[in-house]
Amino acid sequence: MLIILFVGVILAGLISEIFSKKFISYKSVIITFSVSIVLALICIHILPEIFTSSVGKKTGLFILLGFLLQILLELMSKGIEHGHVHYNGSISKHQLLIIFLGLSIHSFIEGIPLNNFEATETLHQHNVYEKNQFSLIYFLIIIVHKLPIAAILIFFLNTINTKKTIKFTLLIIFAATSPLGALFGKNILGIFFLNEWSVNFLAISTGMLLHITTVIIFEDHHNSKNKIKNILTIAVGITTGILLFSF
């Protein structure tokens, strides 16, 4: 799955480079649709699982921690995860590095729970098939979330006239962040006294994703000139998320 994620992110970036004009035209719809799917999957599958874990009330605290952590990371990334960068004027190499670092930390943390659900106490009560399905659900959340961000990253780098070598180097590094997070999680969670942190990292990542999805949905709807179209996009995205893994 990690290879699929790595290659998928790079392909998304390359496709946005080739079809940049088309992507710009449909950027808002793509982002709103994707985060609506993610929000539905989180509410239907992820939240019920992590709240039945043995960690108890601490789970809610870690979700809030993830929510607040994302706010702090956006001070660095300038909100590129939302589809645009909140920055006025030109951007220096140092500022670009900080933006990219904030985005990469976000992506790394989200990758930590990937492929680590055999250590997640909330899944001990389930069989192997259910564990694998839950792992697939979280993987789908991450890939649906990351593919548009890869396209946005390339679009942003093009707007500031970044050299191709730097642009595609940053794309490859970004593509590697979540898989590296997963490998880090695999090793760190193998330490016996950190075993329960599998649930905690999942809760932190969920809080981060909840912040991004809700901000994008409310922000895009507020700024949208065609609110009916925006509502329909959200509705279709949420419906898609509900139907996935429902049968």
Side-chain angles (χ1 to χ4, degrees):
M1 286 199 301
L2 298 183
I3 295 174
I4 293 173
L5 179 58
F6 176 75
V7 174
V9 170
I10 292 176
L11 286 177
L14 292 175
I15 291 170
S16 70
E17 172 77 3
I18 297 168
F19 301 102
S20 57
K21 291 182 179 179
K22 286 285 186 182
F23 174 74
I24 293 169
S25 301
Y26 295 101
K27 184 181 74 167
S28 180
V29 173
I30 292 170
I31 293 170
T32 302
F33 177 71
S34 64
V35 298
S36 298
I37 293 175
V38 170
L39 182 60
L41 290 173
I42 287 173
C43 292
I44 294 170
H45 298 284
I46 305 299
L47 288 176
E49 285 290 351
I50 60 179
F51 274 114
T52 57
S53 73
S54 59
V55 181
K57 293 181 180 179
K58 290 182 181 179
T59 303
L61 294 176
F62 282 107
I63 290 174
L64 289 173
L65 176 62
F67 198 95
L68 293 173
L69 178 59
Q70 182 56 37
I71 293 174
L72 293 175
L73 286 174
E74 287 178 13
L75 295 176
M76 298 174 64
S77 68
K78 303 300 179 184
I80 192 173
E81 304 94 330
H82 301 167
H84 49 264
V85 177
H86 299 287
Y87 206 93
N88 296 319
S90 60
I91 295 176
S92 67
K93 290 181 179 180
H94 178 258
Q95 290 162 340
L96 174 60
L97 179 61
I98 292 174
I99 290 171
F100 184 74
L101 183 61
L103 179 64
S104 297
I105 294 172
H106 161 87
S107 180
F108 182 87
I109 294 172
E110 285 181 342
I112 292 175
L114 282 167
N115 292 341
N116 293 313
F117 296 110
E118 68 274 7
T120 305
E121 293 182 27
T122 184
L123 296 178
H124 282 176
Q125 58 185 306
H126 300 317
N127 59 37
V128 174
Y129 172 76
E130 289 171 320
K131 289 182 183 180
N132 289 339
Q133 187 186 47
F134 188 73
S135 180
L136 181 60
I137 290 168
Y138 186 75
F139 169 76
L140 182 62
I141 286 173
I142 296 303
I143 200 164
V144 169
H145 171 56
K146 284 201 68 173
L147 295 186
I149 294 180
I152 292 161
L153 176 63
I154 291 297
F155 172 71
F156 165 64
L157 294 174
N158 283 336
T159 59
I160 60 173
N161 300 315
T162 307
K163 292 180 180 179
K164 283 192 175 182
T165 51
I166 297 175
K167 178 169 58 179
F168 291 117
T169 298
L170 292 178
L171 176 63
I172 292 170
I173 294 171
F174 175 66
T177 50
S178 284
L180 287 173
L183 294 174
F184 170 79
K186 194 83 170 177
N187 286 284
I188 198 71
L189 295 173
I191 303 173
F192 73 94
F193 62 87
L194 292 175
N195 185 262
E196 73 171 24
W197 270 83
S198 180
V199 177
N200 296 342
F201 276 123
L202 180 60
I204 290 169
S205 176
T206 300
M208 294 170 67
L209 288 166
L210 281 173
H211 176 274
I212 291 173
T213 53
T214 51
V215 166
I216 290 176
I217 286 175
F218 287 118
E219 191 176 64
D220 282 3
H221 181 67
H222 179 73
N223 296 327
S224 176
K225 294 179 180 179
N226 191 339
K227 295 193 184 298
I228 299 298
K229 179 183 177 182
N230 188 257
I231 291 171
L232 288 174
T233 303
I234 294 169
V236 172
I238 289 175
T239 302
T240 302
I242 292 171
L243 293 176
L244 288 170
F245 303 102
S246 295
F247 303 102

